[in-house]
Amino acid sequence: MANPKSLSVLSLILASWIIFTVFQNSTKIRTALKLPISLHHWNFIAKSSSPKLPLHPVVSSVETEIRIKRIIEKLDQLIPPRPFTHISTTTSAAHSTATILHPRDTYCRGDQLDILLEARDHFGHRKEYGGDFLRARMSSPALKAGASGKVTDFNNGTYLVSFTLFWEGWVSLSIRLIHPSEGVSALWRARNQGYDRVIFTGQFASGSSHVDTDCALVLNSSTELCEYLDAQDQEAFYCVRPQHLPCAALTHMHSRSTAVSYLSRQEWRLFERSNVGVEIMENNAINVSKCNGKNVPMKKKCKFGMASTIPGGHVWKETWNPVSCSLAPIKMKECLRGKFIYLMGDSTIRQWMEYFKNNISTLKSVDLHESGKLQHQLAVDVDENIHIQWQKHGYPLIGSLTYSVKEIEYIARVIDRTGGGKNTVIVISLGQHFRPFPIGVFIRRTLNVHKAIQRLLLRSPDTMVIIKAENIRELHSDVERFSDFHGYVQYLAIKDIFQDLNVGLIDAWDLTIAYGTNNVHPSQSVVRNQVSILLNYIC
């Protein structure tokens, strides 16, 4: 057993090495890209800097750097490199086989049905490794019912797909090959290679005139830059400084995808429309009966803090039914009386804001004198003392429509200035806008939000904080930037990061798979069920 003093010395050496490494790498990166340095909080002071000035690296906390490194290492182990010489050696949905284990003429509600999946390439040869990105789902369209299946990867080319038979009737079984393991490996490598698949355009105002310049998380430019820095968490965003205008004149932003790709021509073939989301199980339907003596057990009401399961539940007649608890019908207005609801994040949580406004007739919108789709929203019911607000997260925020950045700020800073308390509910949704960028950007942001929530719960432990997982989205839309594989990796990361905090999780990932939405902005029925989970947590 190691001597404790020796371990302490080793810990100090490790910490010093990491600081040196981060310092050294930061210096190299910023020198190569000619990035300016500022130690000012970007929301208050925007500082420009000429690349000719001496550069001093901004070093994030050692703990954060260690945590980011460890999470990325864990993800790298899950997604090993899978180079291939020809598309024929990659996983083929048409040649892979799915066999129902212990098949029967009739199945009973509540049973588990297992399927053995053997992945094969286009020559019909058995694959010797796993890593295929699969999506398992069971559904009964006539009953408006659906649920996800659990996929177990044995890392040898075989998978066990398990379905819980939640309802009676004819049930269709689906296993889709979203991407073969070789495509997954290519997407992972490409994602972490660069920041330039999306470029932002910043609008600087001076009186009645406007000047547009390029902006990004990282700018490879020899010109003078404006840096918008969060000094506490060391997150920065950059714009090329316009001539004769100060950095503080930045008022609006929009973005567009560039022609940059880090995929080879051969890799791109894996992401042609005909090769994405291909069904492995064709015409597979089973009949599920109630079966005598099998009654559905009574479940406790869903409440904050319950552990999530896979699958988390099922949809039946367009209503979400969790596995481990039951959702009670909640009168929304009564539940929210006296509550301050803070919705923070992307447009998928803004859908909740619209849902509240459409379903509480006494909720009145307050004009905050902003414009555009991403404007800060506030709605109040004065008599019932209900306050609900939605606020977009900080950069990166992708959108072809121009939005204001005059009051944009990071979620961590919003949480830091929130008093909290038993009548305060915070719901956070992060992910969709981070998919086109290296995973470290998302992990760093999530860790910073985690630290802010820790501080909040120390000063106000009775504050309710909810993390809403990402929705699945369109299968064939801009796969390199926005594939659900990127979302799934972020889903794994966010569950890992928040597991030590007393926060609730609304597993929108599992719920939207059950619904089979394939739409980043799902229908009102899906939003209603997501909000129903929230209301059951609150009341």
Side-chain angles (χ1 to χ4, degrees):
M1 183 176 289
N3 186 306
K5 290 183 178 180
S6 300
L7 291 175
S8 299
V9 172
L10 285 172
S11 299
L12 287 171
I13 293 171
L14 175 63
S16 301
W17 178 82
I18 290 171
I19 292 171
F20 172 76
T21 303
V22 172
F23 181 98
Q24 190 179 50
N25 290 344
S26 180
T27 304
K28 289 178 181 178
I29 292 169
R30 289 173 181 269
T31 303
L33 299 181
K34 298 184 172 62
L35 297 183
I37 303 303
S38 166
L39 292 176
H40 296 293
H41 189 301
W42 71 267
N43 199 40
F44 300 106
I45 300 175
K47 180 181 178 182
S48 70
S49 177
S50 167
K52 296 178 182 177
L53 296 177
L55 300 177
H56 305 284
V58 176
V59 181
S60 299
S61 75
V62 173
E63 285 186 12
T64 300
E65 296 302 327
I66 292 173
R67 190 80 192 275
I68 292 170
K69 184 172 182 289
R70 285 176 178 169
I71 294 172
I72 292 176
E73 284 175 350
K74 283 164 68 173
L75 293 171
D76 280 336
Q77 290 174 0
L78 287 175
I79 318 162
R82 298 294 186 203
F84 63 99
T85 55
H86 195 275
I87 194 170
S88 296
T89 63
T90 66
T91 308
S92 163
H95 292 83
S96 297
T97 60
T99 306
I100 296 177
L101 301 180
H102 314 297
R104 285 179 272 166
D105 293 332
T106 302
Y107 296 85
C108 295
R109 185 179 68 184
D111 284 351
Q112 178 172 301
L113 182 145
D114 291 325
I115 297 171
L116 182 66
L117 174 64
E118 293 185 345
R120 297 178 181 273
D121 64 21
H122 292 259
F123 294 118
H125 300 147
R126 273 276 307 272
K127 298 293 289 294
E128 296 180 353
Y129 50 83
D132 296 307
F133 186 42
L134 303 167
R135 180 168 297 163
R137 179 174 181 261
M138 52 185 279
S139 62
S140 296
L143 298 173
K144 296 182 178 178
S148 68
K150 181 180 179 180
V151 179
T152 303
D153 186 348
F154 295 117
N155 297 311
N156 61 2
T158 62
Y159 304 81
L160 182 68
V161 181
S162 302
F163 292 102
T164 301
L165 305 179
F166 289 110
W167 63 87
E168 303 162 42
W170 283 99
V171 176
S172 297
L173 305 175
S174 167
I175 303 174
R176 283 189 167 196
L177 177 63
I178 308 298
H179 304 306
S181 53
E182 295 81 8
V184 165
S185 172
L187 286 175
W188 181 239
R189 188 206 72 247
R191 174 176 185 169
N192 294 306
Q193 274 188 260
Y195 297 79
D196 49 356
R197 277 167 293 236
V198 175
I199 189 70
F200 296 83
T201 300
Q203 186 179 96
F204 292 77
S206 176
S208 58
S209 62
H210 302 282
V211 177
D212 291 344
T213 73
D214 285 345
C215 304
L217 289 165
V218 172
L219 272 177
N220 190 356
S221 174
S222 59
T223 60
E224 187 177 2
L225 302 180
C226 293
E227 181 183 55
Y228 302 91
L229 176 69
D230 182 307
Q232 181 166 337
D233 288 331
Q234 298 302 320
E235 293 193 78
F237 193 76
Y238 302 90
C239 290
V240 173
R241 181 177 178 174
Q243 287 187 340
H244 313 304
L245 284 178
C247 294
L250 178 64
T251 61
H252 291 81
M253 190 78 62
H254 67 269
S255 70
R256 60 179 172 81
S257 296
T258 67
V260 174
S261 173
Y262 292 97
L263 298 173
S264 69
R265 183 175 298 179
Q266 181 167 254
E267 287 170 340
W268 259 114
R269 292 187 60 193
L270 297 176
F271 306 110
E272 293 173 355
R273 190 178 187 89
S274 60
N275 292 328
V276 175
V278 184
E279 183 61 63
I280 295 175
M281 293 192 75
E282 295 286 355
N283 304 316
N284 270 284
I286 59 168
N287 188 23
V288 181
S289 300
K290 182 178 181 180
C291 296
N292 292 331
K294 287 211 171 187
N295 295 317
V296 179
M298 292 293 292
K299 293 183 288 188
K300 296 179 181 179
K301 178 184 173 295
C302 295
K303 60 182 181 180
F304 180 82
M306 282 188 159
S308 60
T309 59
I310 301 174
H314 70 280
V315 179
W316 190 71
K317 293 187 177 178
E318 290 199 339
T319 299
W320 179 246
N321 297 270
V323 167
S324 55
C325 60
S326 63
L327 292 173
I330 302 287
K331 293 183 178 179
M332 195 181 307
K333 189 173 176 178
E334 290 181 14
C335 178
L336 299 181
R337 184 179 292 128
K339 301 295 183 186
F340 287 74
I341 312 294
Y342 296 88
L343 306 175
M344 307 178 190
D346 55 35
S347 55
T348 68
I349 202 79
R350 188 186 67 220
Q351 284 188 284
W352 291 23
M353 184 73 190
E354 300 298 336
Y355 182 83
F356 283 127
K357 291 194 293 186
N358 291 335
N359 287 276
I360 302 177
S361 59
T362 54
L363 208 56
K364 305 300 180 186
S365 293
V366 177
D367 185 0
L368 299 175
H369 304 290
E370 292 187 32
S371 60
K373 192 74 172 174
L374 299 181
Q375 63 183 289
H376 190 159
Q377 295 186 37
L378 172 65
V380 300
D381 181 329
V382 177
D383 293 333
E384 300 292 343
N385 193 25
I386 300 171
H387 295 70
I388 307 176
Q389 71 170 34
W390 173 78
Q391 183 171 347
K392 60 183 176 283
H393 62 68
Y395 306 119
L397 201 63
I398 296 169
S400 58
L401 299 176
T402 300
Y403 55 90
S404 171
V405 296
K406 293 177 183 178
E407 297 181 359
I408 194 170
E409 58 185 329
Y410 292 120
I411 287 176
R413 301 291 74 77
V414 181
I415 295 171
D416 279 342
R417 59 177 173 77
T418 301
K422 66 179 182 180
N423 291 316
T424 299
V425 180
I426 295 174
V427 188
I428 298 165
S429 179
L430 286 172
Q432 298 286 349
H433 294 261
F434 291 80
R435 292 187 182 191
F437 304 102
I439 190 65
V441 177
F442 176 76
I443 295 172
R444 185 181 302 278
R445 180 66 51 82
T446 306
L447 287 172
N448 290 335
V449 170
H450 176 278
K451 289 186 288 185
I453 294 171
Q454 273 185 316
R455 294 189 288 268
L456 171 65
L457 294 179
L458 280 173
R459 63 181 180 269
S460 299
D462 49 357
T463 308
M464 180 174 287
V465 181
I466 309 291
I467 306 299
K468 174 196 165 292
E470 291 182 51
N471 300 336
I472 63 170
R473 63 182 300 150
E474 298 77 5
L475 284 176
H476 304 101
S477 177
D478 201 350
V479 174
E480 183 176 358
R481 293 173 182 82
F482 294 107
S483 167
D484 269 343
F485 162 70
H486 298 316
Y488 181 65
V489 170
Q490 293 176 172
Y491 171 70
L492 295 178
I494 213 166
K495 289 174 76 174
D496 179 72
I497 289 168
F498 285 105
Q499 64 181 332
D500 65 330
L501 286 184
N502 184 29
V503 299
L505 173 70
I506 294 181
D507 197 342
W509 186 268
D510 186 59
L511 192 148
T512 50
I513 289 176
Y515 263 94
T517 54
N518 296 324
N519 188 332
V520 68
H521 297 119
S523 68
Q524 284 295 292
S525 174
V526 177
V527 175
R528 171 176 58 82
N529 281 282
Q530 292 178 351
V531 171
S532 175
I533 300 171
L534 172 70
L535 295 176
N536 272 261
Y537 283 171
I538 296 173
C539 303

